[in-house]
Amino acid sequence: MKTEGLLAQRIVNVKSSAIRELLKHSKMENVISLAGGIPSDALFDFEGLSIATHQAITEQPKSAFQYGLTEGSPLLRERICELCAERGVVATAEEVMVTAGSQQALDLVMRAIVNPGDVFVVERPTYLAALQTLELAEANIMSVSSDSDGMVVEELAELLKTQRIKGVYVVPNFGNPSGLTLSAPRRELLVKLAAEHNFLIIEDDPYGELRFTEERNATLHQVSQQVLGHTDNIIYTSTFSKILAPGLRLGWAILPEFLLHKVAIIKQAADLHASALSQSIVECYLGLDRLPGQIEKIRAAYKQKGEILAALVEKELGDHITFDMPKGGMFLWARFRQPFNATEWLKTTLQQGVVFVPGEYFFSDNPDRSSFRLSFATATEQQMQEAVARLRRSL
Amino acid sequence: MKTEGLLAQRIVNVKSSAIRELLKHSKMENVISLAGGIPSDALFDFEGLSIATHQAITEQPKSAFQYGLTEGSPLLRERICELCAERGVVATAEEVMVTAGSQQALDLVMRAIVNPGDVFVVERPTYLAALQTLELAEANIMSVSSDSDGMVVEELAELLKTQRIKGVYVVPNFGNPSGLTLSAPRRELLVKLAAEHNFLIIEDDPYGELRFTEERNATLHQVSQQVLGHTDNIIYTSTFSKILAPGLRLGWAILPEFLLHKVAIIKQAADLHASALSQSIVECYLGLDRLPGQIEKIRAAYKQKGEILAALVEKELGDHITFDMPKGGMFLWARFRQPFNATEWLKTTLQQGVVFVPGEYFFSDNPDRSSFRLSFATATEQQMQEAVARLRRSL
């Protein structure tokens, strides 16, 4: 068969997720994985999920199994507003679009706003699957660097002097893979720039609740409201994947008014609506008032595991490797003190039985090949000890 | 805010589903709806679904609530192969992509194959939300007419003499909205044309199991295998929505080899994977061996309801309206004997308290404004009687 010419241009050059390929190795026997960004199912609230599921299918079976509304169930949208309000994201239920994880929110929004060739700015490094949605929308991806205060927004300001941009994608809290958090002054600068230069900000916030301290940063959505008196330029996305259960595939976007109907049309063509059963279960789960306790539990566990991994890396690999102490999230982002190719190193560590994600995959350009990401969410303390010992041996 | 220039071109001209707007009316008090293509939840196997759900969350809670594989759970893909084999669609589990309903399968495939301006051919009338996926992919949509043998493939053959096309979208069994079925000779001609002219066929088969007779038409996938010895040009899509429960949002595509990896990459960017919980539940449900009985029950009920509605329309409206007796599916496709605008008529019938879908929405071009679609899936016999009486009064 002549398959030439049968594929669309938008897919020809999109890269598959390197992590996805790596995860195949991670399922091999005796391999300890520090690769995947997968929440620990040892922390799942199976009891609460079971109660909520039972409630959903007995008390509202028709809603759970029948077609629903594209934007999501009205009650769930209300509940999401309440969750958002606690994060300082004030929105009405009409502004909420329930999606199949925040991944779908990103994809729908990119399809709604990005024309081929439109410039979209990301931080270096950034979330891999956001890059994929941008590639599929045929964006012209540009990047600015990041430092210990997160995305270097000053660099963006420089870029804007000569370059019209469509939008910025940023994970302001405990970014994946960097673990970095955007500082308050930069948050303010970013929303001001968006208004001034009329671009959109996608504020992707899957990890905001997983903070290791009591300090909570104002969201860009909130800063925009405070500084500009509106949130017209902000698309806020988040998910139940990291705080409840990713298998439900439920996330959401808070959309500015001009996008609501457009994103709904794309959502309708994309899959009609998110799983009605998952929506019913999360509605019921939120009604049980177990989420706050569950988030506390996850935060405490990840904090402890993050500290353990950091201490191990410091002790065993500190001569060669440096990192910023993560203040939340699931990842430790490390780099070699001297130029060293982490992708090449992975081949050696695989033989030793450890898999991680080389940093270069998280860059749209100018990859830092000496960097790499270690996840502390899934491995046990014992596994982390063994993994770091193996990493040491492979150096 | 200047929103001008912030939207992508692909969304600017996509129409929202007229049905979706109509359904808002259908929720008004005293309005009887013959509009939506919604399965009757009076026929759902709530008992079986409850058993399967319980089994899924107790026996395999980690699979049900954790991240899964993009292509779908290996066991479910095996089970889908078994279902497909009964329909004459012989495929391996590797060829199965589990999707969020067949709607997502259509959208993913369009994104994988359609470049802006590529010609895609549909039948007149055709499924509305397939048109939306084509519009989003910026296809150049062309159409051929249909008659009592379904899509007029001979017209397509004529078109192919002067026009290169990327693909054909067809619902060969009990089409939505037409209820029509593609004849065996035309199926053979269609697959031969695809091979000869190197285009792809999307065979969308949500209704094939809902046949009112024992006669089962060979799928295009099967015909291709028989006539050409391969299925390289066929993308077969189907769903659990019409035979089990749409709220689970589970469907699938059987893909030719060259598309497997590409569609997986898009699926990954679109939502990572379909609901793991829904997949676990359907796996368990299929293990209960209740699906064959459930399909029999639905077939019998829809057949009876279809016959009742057809008899009512014949008796009360037959002077003005003609239709083909549906041989399966959920719809009665009717048209006025004399030129008459069904969209205008809807305004009158709404006042009388009946809603249906005017035919014009199902045409990409050359709409037959005298046509309209009546669904017999959801209304009760009594409601159908009252609805047809109201339609009569509004004439």
Side-chain angles (χ1 to χ4, degrees), chain A residues 9 20 65 71 115 242 247, chain B residues 9 20 65 67 71 115 247:
Chain A
Q9 198 52 44
R20 189 162 164 273
F65 291 116
E71 293 88 346
N115 280 312
K242 308 300 191 280
Chain B
Q9 198 52 43
R20 190 161 165 272
F65 291 116
Y67 281 120
E71 293 87 346
N115 280 311

Side-chain angles (χ1 to χ4, degrees), chain A residues 55-305:
Chain A
Q55 208 175 317
I57 67 171
T58 52
E59 291 175 16
Q60 43 180 307
K62 289 189 184 183
S63 311
F65 291 116
Q66 185 54 284
Y67 281 120
L69 299 170
T70 298
E71 293 88 346
S73 111
L75 177 58
L76 182 59
R77 292 167 83 194
E78 291 287 350
R79 289 254 150 95
I80 287 172
C81 287
E82 292 161 22
L83 271 184
C84 280
E86 290 167 27
R87 304 180 185 184
V89 176
V90 178
T92 64
E94 286 67 38
E95 295 168 74
V96 179
M97 171 76 57
V98 179
T99 56
S102 50
Q103 184 64 43
Q104 189 187 40
L106 301 182
D107 189 47
L108 295 175
V109 168
M110 297 311 181
R111 294 174 82 182
I113 65 177
V114 178
N115 280 312
D118 278 357
V119 173
F120 224 92
V121 177
V122 300
E123 44 197 330
R124 273 197 315 271
T126 191
Y127 173 50
L128 191 78
L131 290 177
Q132 284 180 311
T133 64
L134 283 166
E135 284 166 357
L136 275 175
E138 297 179 84
N140 177 3
I141 305 171
M142 292 190 176
S143 68
V144 296
S145 54
S146 55
D147 61 23
S148 55
D149 282 338
M151 172 185 263
V152 181
V153 181
E154 296 80 0
E155 229 180 84
L156 175 69
E158 270 304 302
L159 178 70
L160 285 164
K161 287 180 182 165
T162 56
Q163 180 66 56
R164 164 94 190 105
I165 72 167
K166 178 56 79 78
V168 168
Y169 170 80
V170 61
V171 182
N173 299 318
F174 326 123
N176 174 2
S178 70
L180 293 171
T181 291
L182 193 62
S183 70
R186 283 188 179 167
R187 287 179 194 233
E188 188 170 329
L189 178 58
L190 182 56
V191 301
K192 281 179 174 168
L193 287 172
E196 187 184 337
H197 294 273
N198 199 38
F199 64 82
L200 298 164
I201 298 171
I202 301 182
E203 176 178 29
D204 191 14
D205 190 25
Y207 309 107
E209 293 290 321
L210 309 182
R211 58 192 191 285
F212 301 160
T213 67
E214 288 314 305
E215 192 190 345
R216 189 197 273 278
N217 296 290
T219 60
L220 294 167
H221 195 277
Q222 189 175 7
V223 173
S224 180
Q225 187 63 51
Q226 287 165 352
V227 173
L228 307 171
H230 68 76
T231 57
D232 293 350
N233 301 75
I234 314 288
I235 294 145
Y236 176 87
T237 59
S238 192
T239 178
F240 290 103
S241 293
K242 308 300 191 280
I243 55 176
L244 188 56
L248 296 168
R249 305 308 305 122
L250 270 193
W252 68 90
I254 308 291
L255 296 168
E257 201 265 336
F258 82 100
L259 275 180
L260 280 171
H261 185 56
K262 297 299 183 187
V263 172
I265 291 174
I266 301 176
K267 171 81 178 147
Q268 200 177 8
D271 63 1
L272 303 180
H273 60 82
S275 161
L277 178 61
S278 291
Q279 292 186 70
S280 293
I281 291 170
V282 173
E283 265 174 37
C284 292
Y285 186 86
L286 294 175
L288 299 174
D289 205 26
R290 294 170 74 113
L291 189 64
Q294 180 59 17
I295 290 173
E296 282 311 307
K297 182 176 149 191
I298 295 170
R299 279 175 61 185
Y302 286 179
K303 179 172 192 281
Q304 191 187 20
K305 293 172 80 162

